[in-house]
PDB file of all heavy atoms in Angstrom:
ATOM      1  N   ILE M 111      12.381 -37.639  16.664  1.00  0.00           N
ATOM      2  CA  ILE M 111      11.213 -37.232  15.881  1.00  0.00           C
ATOM      3  C   ILE M 111      11.613 -35.989  15.099  1.00  0.00           C
ATOM      4  O   ILE M 111      11.989 -34.966  15.687  1.00  0.00           O
ATOM      5  CB  ILE M 111      10.001 -36.924  16.776  1.00  0.00           C
ATOM      6  CG1 ILE M 111       9.612 -38.146  17.601  1.00  0.00           C
ATOM      7  CG2 ILE M 111       8.826 -36.444  15.939  1.00  0.00           C
ATOM      8  CD1 ILE M 111       8.516 -37.863  18.615  1.00  0.00           C
ATOM      9  N   THR M 112      11.561 -36.088  13.804  1.00  0.00           N
ATOM     10  CA  THR M 112      11.865 -34.931  12.954  1.00  0.00           C
ATOM     11  C   THR M 112      10.543 -34.356  12.459  1.00  0.00           C
ATOM     12  O   THR M 112       9.731 -35.076  11.856  1.00  0.00           O
ATOM     13  CB  THR M 112      12.738 -35.328  11.753  1.00  0.00           C
ATOM     14  OG1 THR M 112      13.951 -35.917  12.237  1.00  0.00           O
ATOM     15  CG2 THR M 112      13.069 -34.116  10.904  1.00  0.00           C
ATOM     16  N   ILE M 113      10.304 -33.101  12.754  1.00  0.00           N
ATOM     17  CA  ILE M 113       9.073 -32.457  12.321  1.00  0.00           C
ATOM     18  C   ILE M 113       9.425 -31.361  11.327  1.00  0.00           C
ATOM     19  O   ILE M 113      10.492 -30.736  11.398  1.00  0.00           O
ATOM     20  CB  ILE M 113       8.287 -31.871  13.511  1.00  0.00           C
ATOM     21  CG1 ILE M 113       9.131 -30.839  14.275  1.00  0.00           C
ATOM     22  CG2 ILE M 113       7.834 -32.970  14.449  1.00  0.00           C
ATOM     23  CD1 ILE M 113       8.372 -30.143  15.379  1.00  0.00           C
ATOM     24  N   SER M 114       8.525 -31.145  10.382  1.00  0.00           N
ATOM     25  CA  SER M 114       8.762 -30.118   9.373  1.00  0.00           C
ATOM     26  C   SER M 114       7.439 -29.460   8.994  1.00  0.00           C
ATOM     27  O   SER M 114       6.367 -30.040   9.173  1.00  0.00           O
ATOM     28  CB  SER M 114       9.421 -30.733   8.125  1.00  0.00           C
ATOM     29  OG  SER M 114       8.549 -31.667   7.523  1.00  0.00           O
ATOM     30  N   GLY M 115       7.533 -28.278   8.502  1.00  0.00           N
ATOM     31  CA  GLY M 115       6.351 -27.535   8.087  1.00  0.00           C
ATOM     32  C   GLY M 115       6.650 -26.056   8.039  1.00  0.00           C
ATOM     33  O   GLY M 115       7.784 -25.611   8.289  1.00  0.00           O
ATOM     34  N   LYS M 116       5.625 -25.302   7.717  1.00  0.00           N
ATOM     35  CA  LYS M 116       5.752 -23.842   7.675  1.00  0.00           C
ATOM     36  C   LYS M 116       5.158 -23.264   8.955  1.00  0.00           C
ATOM     37  O   LYS M 116       3.948 -23.371   9.183  1.00  0.00           O
ATOM     38  CB  LYS M 116       5.036 -23.288   6.443  1.00  0.00           C
ATOM     39  CG  LYS M 116       5.633 -23.779   5.127  1.00  0.00           C
ATOM     40  CD  LYS M 116       4.836 -23.284   3.931  1.00  0.00           C
ATOM     41  CE  LYS M 116       5.441 -23.807   2.634  1.00  0.00           C
ATOM     42  NZ  LYS M 116       4.662 -23.391   1.441  1.00  0.00           N
ATOM     43  N   PRO M 117       5.992 -22.689   9.816  1.00  0.00           N
ATOM     44  CA  PRO M 117       5.493 -22.192  11.100  1.00  0.00           C
ATOM     45  C   PRO M 117       4.591 -20.978  10.934  1.00  0.00           C
ATOM     46  O   PRO M 117       4.825 -20.125  10.080  1.00  0.00           O
ATOM     47  CB  PRO M 117       6.770 -21.829  11.859  1.00  0.00           C
ATOM     48  CG  PRO M 117       7.760 -21.512  10.788  1.00  0.00           C
ATOM     49  CD  PRO M 117       7.445 -22.440   9.644  1.00  0.00           C
ATOM     50  N   ASN M 118       3.550 -20.932  11.734  1.00  0.00           N
ATOM     51  CA  ASN M 118       2.697 -19.751  11.803  1.00  0.00           C
ATOM     52  C   ASN M 118       3.288 -18.823  12.863  1.00  0.00           C
ATOM     53  O   ASN M 118       3.216 -19.110  14.063  1.00  0.00           O
ATOM     54  CB  ASN M 118       1.264 -20.144  12.156  1.00  0.00           C
ATOM     55  CG  ASN M 118       0.557 -20.852  11.016  1.00  0.00           C
ATOM     56  OD1 ASN M 118      -0.418 -20.363  10.476  1.00  0.00           O
ATOM     57  ND2 ASN M 118       1.054 -22.011  10.633  1.00  0.00           N
ATOM     58  N   LEU M 119       3.874 -17.728  12.425  1.00  0.00           N
ATOM     59  CA  LEU M 119       4.634 -16.841  13.301  1.00  0.00           C
ATOM     60  C   LEU M 119       3.816 -15.602  13.664  1.00  0.00           C
ATOM     61  O   LEU M 119       3.103 -15.049  12.817  1.00  0.00           O
ATOM     62  CB  LEU M 119       5.936 -16.417  12.613  1.00  0.00           C
ATOM     63  CG  LEU M 119       6.842 -17.564  12.158  1.00  0.00           C
ATOM     64  CD1 LEU M 119       7.999 -17.024  11.331  1.00  0.00           C
ATOM     65  CD2 LEU M 119       7.358 -18.334  13.360  1.00  0.00           C
ATOM     66  N   PRO M 120       3.934 -15.137  14.900  1.00  0.00           N
ATOM     67  CA  PRO M 120       3.210 -13.922  15.287  1.00  0.00           C
ATOM     68  C   PRO M 120       3.861 -12.682  14.687  1.00  0.00           C
ATOM     69  O   PRO M 120       5.088 -12.593  14.578  1.00  0.00           O
ATOM     70  CB  PRO M 120       3.337 -13.919  16.818  1.00  0.00           C
ATOM     71  CG  PRO M 120       4.601 -14.679  17.089  1.00  0.00           C
ATOM     72  CD  PRO M 120       4.687 -15.729  16.020  1.00  0.00           C
ATOM     73  N   VAL M 121       3.032 -11.739  14.275  1.00  0.00           N
ATOM     74  CA  VAL M 121       3.530 -10.457  13.770  1.00  0.00           C
ATOM     75  C   VAL M 121       3.770  -9.546  14.971  1.00  0.00           C
ATOM     76  O   VAL M 121       2.829  -9.113  15.640  1.00  0.00           O
ATOM     77  CB  VAL M 121       2.530  -9.795  12.801  1.00  0.00           C
ATOM     78  CG1 VAL M 121       3.040  -8.425  12.371  1.00  0.00           C
ATOM     79  CG2 VAL M 121       2.308 -10.682  11.584  1.00  0.00           C
ATOM     80  N   ILE M 122       5.026  -9.286  15.275  1.00  0.00           N
ATOM     81  CA  ILE M 122       5.391  -8.367  16.361  1.00  0.00           C
ATOM     82  C   ILE M 122       6.474  -7.439  15.835  1.00  0.00           C
ATOM     83  O   ILE M 122       7.521  -7.903  15.365  1.00  0.00           O
ATOM     84  CB  ILE M 122       5.894  -9.118  17.607  1.00  0.00           C
ATOM     85  CG1 ILE M 122       4.825 -10.085  18.128  1.00  0.00           C
ATOM     86  CG2 ILE M 122       6.283  -8.128  18.709  1.00  0.00           C
ATOM     87  CD1 ILE M 122       5.289 -10.925  19.294  1.00  0.00           C
TER      88      ILE M 122
END
Side-chain angles (χ1 to χ4, degrees):
I111 301 174
T112 302
I113 59 175
S114 64
K116 297 176 181 178
N118 289 244
L119 304 172
V121 176
I122 301 176

